[in-house]
Amino acid sequence: MRPELLERVLSLLPEAGPHPELARFYEMLRDYPRRGGKGLRSELLLAGARAYGVREGTPQWESALWLAAGVELFQNWVLIHDDIEDDSEERRGRPALHRLHGVALAINAGDALHAYMWAAVARAGVPGAHEEFLAMVHRTAEGQHLDLAWVAGREWGLTEHDYLQMVGLKTAYYTVIVPLRLGALVAGAQPPETLTPAGLALGTAFQIRDDVLNLAGDAAKYGKEIAGDLLEGKRTLIVLHWLGQAPEDQIAVFLDQMRRERPDKDPEVVAQIHGWLLESGSVDYAQRAAQAQAETGLKLLGDVLGAAPEREAARALLGRVRELATREA
Amino acid sequence: MRPELLERVLSLLPEAGPHPELARFYEMLRDYPRRGGKGLRSELLLAGARAYGVREGTPQWESALWLAAGVELFQNWVLIHDDIEDDSEERRGRPALHRLHGVALAINAGDALHAYMWAAVARAGVPGAHEEFLAMVHRTAEGQHLDLAWVAGREWGLTEHDYLQMVGLKTAYYTVIVPLRLGALVAGAQPPETLTPAGLALGTAFQIRDDVLNLAGDAAKYGKEIAGDLLEGKRTLIVLHWLGQAPEDQIAVFLDQMRRERPDKDPEVVAQIHGWLLESGSVDYAQRAAQAQAETGLKLLGDVLGAAPEREAARALLGRVRELATREA
C-alpha cells in the first residue's frame, strides 16, 4: 500500500505495553502490514472517492484515508487467519505468521488486528461505513466457510455455479464491491445498486485470475507459492473444469492426493497433477471465463460511472479496475 | 444469559443464505450462545445501568440490552478462539466448536461472530461504547498473548506480579471493568476512574477463583474439564506458588510433563501432580489471595457506588459483584 497509508495503519497500533512480552505482540500486529501488500483495495476506494468528487486535502479525503486504512487492516487480519485455515507456508515472500509464532498466538494477533480495523472505521466517521464493513466481514466469512467446508468435506462434486457463488462471497465483496461503495459513501453519495453486480463480476474475474496465476504464474511476481492451491486442496474453476473432462486414471490420482492432509501429500505426484492441469485446456478455459467476467463487470461499471461527477477520475478508476481484473501478477 | 438477551443475540445472526452449506455456518454461529453461559458479564452491565438510573422499558434500557448482547457476543467469539488456542476439549458440557468442525471452520466462525458483536454495539448507539469495546478486545488479547506466549515458550520463571498483570488484562477488563463502565455510559454518566482499580481487583479475584475451581471444583457445577488448566499448561497462582516451595523431585516431574504437548502428556502423571497441588498449601494460598482481592475491589466499588443515583440498584450490583468474585462454580 502507499507509504502514507501504511503510516496511518501503523499509527493505530500500539508500540509499548506494561510488559516486555507485549512488545513482541505489537510487533506481530505490524508484521503483515509492513510486508508491503499492493494495496489494490485501498487504491480502489480512493479512486472511487475521487470519481465521486472527493478532493485531496479536504476533511472528506481524510475520512477516505481512514476507510482505506480500515480496508487494509481487514485484508491483513483476514490473511493472518486465512494462512492458518489453509496452513499456508508463506505470505508475501516470508513465512506465514503462524509458522513464525505458532497457531495460538497468530489467531490472537489476528483478532486484535480485526478490532483495530473497527478503530479505523470509527475514525473515518462516515455514515453508513460501519454497515459496509459488517457486510464485508460477513460475506467474506461466508465465502471462506464454503471454501473451507468443501476442503474439509473432501467435496469435489461441485458445479461452476457453486464455485461462482463461493468466490462472489469470498473475494468480490472485500476486493471490489465494498471499496467502491465506500468511495461513494465518503463523498456523501448513495452507492448505485449496479455497483454490486459490477463488483461481483470484477471480483470473480480477479479471483479466477488469481487461481490461474497460482498454477501458471511467475513465482517472483506472484508472491505466493506456485501451486499452493493444489497443496491446500482448493476448489478452483480450473480444477472443476478439468475434473469434468480428464482421463479417469488422472482423476483417481488427483482424488487420492486430495484425500490426504497437506503434510501427507506426495510433492512429486502433486507436481505431476500440476503438469496435467497446465497441459489440459482448463487453464485457457478459466482465462476465457475471467475475461468474460471482466468485460461484463467493466461494462456495468462504465455505465454506473457515467453518472459520477468527476469524469477524469472516473476514467482513472475504470483503468485501475481493468488492471485488477486482468492482472498478470 | 437471560432468555430475552439470548433472543436478542440470535436476532442479529442470519438464518438462511444463498447456499445450503451456509445454513451449517449459521448454526455454528448460534452454537455457543445457545449452550447457555451464565451471562455474568451482561448481568453486571445491566445492574450497573440500573444503579446509574436507567429504568426498564426506556430507550436507554433498550440500548443497555444491545450493549449486553454485545458483551455476550464478545464472550462467545472469544471462547471459540480460546478453545482452539488452548486446544480445549469441552465447552459448557459439549465438545469445543473446533472439535466438532475442525480448526479452520471454527476460526472463521469466531471471526464472523466477532463482527456481529460490532453490529450489536452499533445498534446500541451509545456515545463512547465503541471505544469501550475496543479497549475490551485489546486488553483481553494482550492478556491472552501473555498467557499463550508463556505456554509456547515453556516459561515457568514467573512471579506473582507477572501473573497478576496477565489476569488483569486477560480477565478483568471484559469481566468487570468494561461491563461496569458501559453501565455508566448508557445512563449518560462519565464512568468514575475508580471503576478501573475496583474492576482489576474484582476481575483478578474472579480469575483466581476460576483457577481454584479448575483444580478443586465440582465438575458438574463448573462446566469445564477439571484440571484442564494443567493439561493446557496454564500459569496459575496456585502453580506459581507451589513451584516456589515444592520438593525438587516433584518440580522435575511437573516440568517434564509441561514440556510436552497436550497429547503427549501422561494422564496418570498429570493426575499425580494434581494430587500434589491439592495437598500443598497452594490452593489455600490462592483462596486467600482471591479473598483479599475481592475485599479490596468490593471496598473500592462500594465507595464509587456511594455516588450512584439509585441506592437500592447499587446495592444489588454490589451483591452481584460479590457473588462473582467469591463464586463457588
Side-chain angles (χ1 to χ4, degrees):
Chain A
M1 67 189 106
R2 56 171 71 188
E4 60 170 326
L5 209 52
L6 176 59
E7 258 176 58
R8 199 171 284 253
V9 164
L10 297 180
S11 77
L12 286 169
L13 307 180
E15 301 234 12
H19 196 284
E21 176 61 44
L22 290 180
R24 189 172 151 227
F25 178 54
Y26 301 147
E27 269 309 302
M28 287 178 70
L29 302 185
R30 289 160 192 274
D31 186 343
Y32 272 25
R34 275 193 178 139
R35 291 189 190 188
K38 299 185 201 78
L40 297 173
R41 293 151 181 99
S42 51
E43 290 301 328
L44 217 55
L45 189 160
L46 295 172
R50 273 190 225 98
Y52 279 92
V54 176
R55 311 223 158 175
E56 299 200 19
T58 61
Q60 281 179 320
W61 183 251
E62 184 68 13
S63 288
L65 287 171
W66 280 120
L67 292 180
V71 165
E72 290 297 326
L73 281 159
F74 174 84
Q75 163 87 343
N76 281 282
W77 75 257
V78 165
L79 288 178
I80 293 173
H81 284 184
D82 271 13
D83 286 345
I84 301 168
E85 288 157 10
D86 298 337
D87 198 14
S88 301
E89 290 185 3
E90 293 198 356
R91 173 62 59 187
R92 297 174 183 155
R94 292 200 56 214
L97 201 68
H98 69 288
R99 301 226 169 211
L100 292 172
H101 303 277
V103 166
L105 289 174
I107 293 174
N108 187 57
D111 290 338
L113 214 55
H114 181 167
Y116 284 110
M117 175 190 86
W118 291 104
V121 178
R123 287 286 278 272
V126 173
H130 196 276
E131 289 71 20
E132 295 299 321
F133 275 81
L134 285 175
M136 181 162 70
V137 177
H138 290 316
R139 298 299 84 75
T140 308
E142 287 162 355
Q144 183 72 355
H145 176 87
L146 291 180
D147 198 12
L148 295 170
W150 293 339
V151 172
R154 272 84 171 149
E155 179 60 76
W156 288 101
L158 297 165
T159 63
E160 188 163 328
H161 178 71
D162 293 317
Y163 171 84
L164 292 174
Q165 268 193 326
M166 183 270 283
V167 300
L169 293 165
K170 188 183 77 163
T171 305
Y173 280 86
Y174 92 96
T175 304
V176 190
I177 299 171
V178 172
L180 290 179
R181 287 177 59 87
L182 288 169
L185 281 172
V186 75
Q190 176 66 24
E193 291 293 327
T194 314
L195 283 184
T196 301
L200 270 176
L202 291 161
T204 301
F206 176 84
Q207 183 61 54
I208 300 175
R209 288 291 306 159
D210 193 69
D211 296 348
V212 168
L213 290 168
N214 190 285
L215 275 188
D218 177 331
K221 283 192 209 160
Y222 182 61
K224 283 191 274 193
E225 43 184 344
I226 292 296
D229 284 351
L230 275 182
L231 290 166
E232 290 164 15
K234 290 286 171 190
R235 278 70 189 148
T236 63
L237 191 57
I238 305 161
V239 166
L240 293 179
H241 180 264
W242 178 79
L243 282 172
Q245 46 124 57
E248 275 187 29
D249 56 333
Q250 290 186 5
I251 293 177
V253 171
F254 173 86
L255 292 177
D256 173 55
Q257 286 298 315
M258 291 304 134
R259 261 188 293 273
R260 307 178 186 196
E261 298 297 325
R262 183 181 173 132
D264 303 325
K265 289 191 169 81
D266 183 330
E268 284 184 29
V269 180
V270 171
Q272 190 180 34
I273 296 167
H274 188 189
W276 293 336
L277 285 164
L278 291 178
E279 286 160 19
S280 76
S282 298
V283 174
D284 284 344
Y285 175 82
Q287 298 264 36
R288 286 193 304 275
Q291 190 60 35
Q293 293 276 357
E295 280 166 20
T296 303
L298 286 167
K299 172 77 176 65
L300 287 170
L301 189 62
D303 292 350
V304 171
L305 291 177
E310 294 291 332
R311 309 307 302 269
E312 194 155 337
R315 269 194 295 276
L317 169 58
L318 214 55
R320 192 174 281 284
V321 170
R322 181 176 292 111
E323 275 174 38
L324 182 137
T326 58
R327 72 211 183 99
E328 297 293 328
Chain B
M1 69 190 105
R2 57 170 72 186
E4 59 169 327
L5 209 51
L6 177 59
E7 258 177 58
R8 198 170 285 253
V9 164
L10 297 180
S11 77
L12 286 168
L13 307 181
E15 301 235 13
H19 196 286
E21 176 60 44
L22 290 179
R24 191 172 149 226
F25 178 54
Y26 302 146
E27 268 309 301
M28 287 177 70
L29 303 185
R30 290 159 192 275
D31 186 344
Y32 272 25
R34 274 191 180 142
R35 291 190 190 186
K38 298 184 202 79
L40 296 173
R41 294 152 181 100
S42 51
E43 290 301 327
L44 216 55
L45 188 159
L46 294 172
R50 271 189 227 101
Y52 279 92
V54 176
R55 310 222 160 178
E56 299 202 18
T58 61
Q60 282 179 319
W61 183 251
E62 184 68 13
S63 288
L65 287 171
W66 281 119
L67 292 180
V71 165
E72 290 298 324
L73 280 160
F74 174 86
Q75 163 86 344
N76 280 283
W77 75 255
V78 165
L79 287 178
I80 293 174
H81 284 184
D82 272 13
D83 286 345
I84 302 168
E85 289 158 9
D86 297 337
D87 198 15
S88 300
E89 290 186 4
E90 294 199 352
R91 172 64 58 189
R92 297 174 183 156
R94 292 200 55 215
L97 201 67
H98 69 289
R99 301 221 171 216
L100 293 172
H101 304 277
V103 166
L105 289 174
I107 294 175
N108 188 56
D111 290 338
L113 214 55
H114 181 167
Y116 283 109
M117 174 191 86
W118 291 104
V121 178
R123 287 286 277 274
V126 173
H130 196 276
E131 289 70 20
E132 294 300 321
F133 274 81
L134 284 175
M136 181 162 70
V137 178
H138 290 316
R139 296 301 83 74
T140 307
E142 288 162 354
Q144 183 72 354
H145 176 86
L146 291 180
D147 198 11
L148 295 170
W150 293 339
V151 172
R154 272 82 170 150
E155 179 61 77
W156 289 102
L158 297 165
T159 63
E160 188 163 329
H161 179 70
D162 293 317
Y163 171 85
L164 292 174
Q165 267 193 326
M166 184 269 283
V167 299
L169 292 165
K170 188 182 78 162
T171 306
Y173 280 86
Y174 92 97
T175 305
V176 190
I177 298 172
V178 173
L180 290 179
R181 288 177 59 87
L182 288 169
L185 281 172
V186 77
Q190 176 66 24
E193 292 293 328
T194 314
L195 282 184
T196 301
L200 270 176
L202 291 161
T204 300
F206 176 83
Q207 183 60 54
I208 300 174
R209 287 292 307 161
D210 193 69
D211 296 347
V212 168
L213 289 169
N214 190 285
L215 275 188
D218 176 331
K221 282 193 210 161
Y222 181 61
K224 283 192 273 191
E225 42 183 345
I226 292 297
D229 284 352
L230 273 183
L231 290 166
E232 291 164 15
K234 291 285 170 189
R235 277 68 189 149
T236 63
L237 191 58
I238 304 161
V239 166
L240 293 179
H241 180 265
W242 177 78
L243 283 172
Q245 45 124 58
E248 274 186 31
D249 56 334
Q250 290 187 4
I251 293 178
V253 170
F254 174 86
L255 292 177
D256 172 57
Q257 287 297 315
M258 292 303 135
R259 261 189 293 273
R260 307 178 186 197
E261 298 298 325
R262 184 180 171 132
D264 304 326
K265 289 192 169 79
D266 183 330
E268 283 185 31
V269 180
V270 171
Q272 189 179 35
I273 295 167
H274 188 189
W276 293 336
L277 284 164
L278 291 177
E279 286 159 21
S280 75
S282 298
V283 174
D284 284 344
Y285 174 82
Q287 298 264 38
R288 287 193 302 275
Q291 190 59 36
Q293 293 275 357
E295 280 166 21
T296 302
L298 286 167
K299 172 76 175 67
L300 286 169
L301 189 62
D303 291 350
V304 170
L305 292 178
E310 294 291 333
R311 309 305 303 269
E312 192 153 338
R315 268 194 297 276
L317 169 58
L318 213 57
R320 192 172 281 283
V321 170
R322 179 175 294 110
E323 274 174 38
L324 182 138
T326 56
R327 73 210 182 99
E328 296 294 327

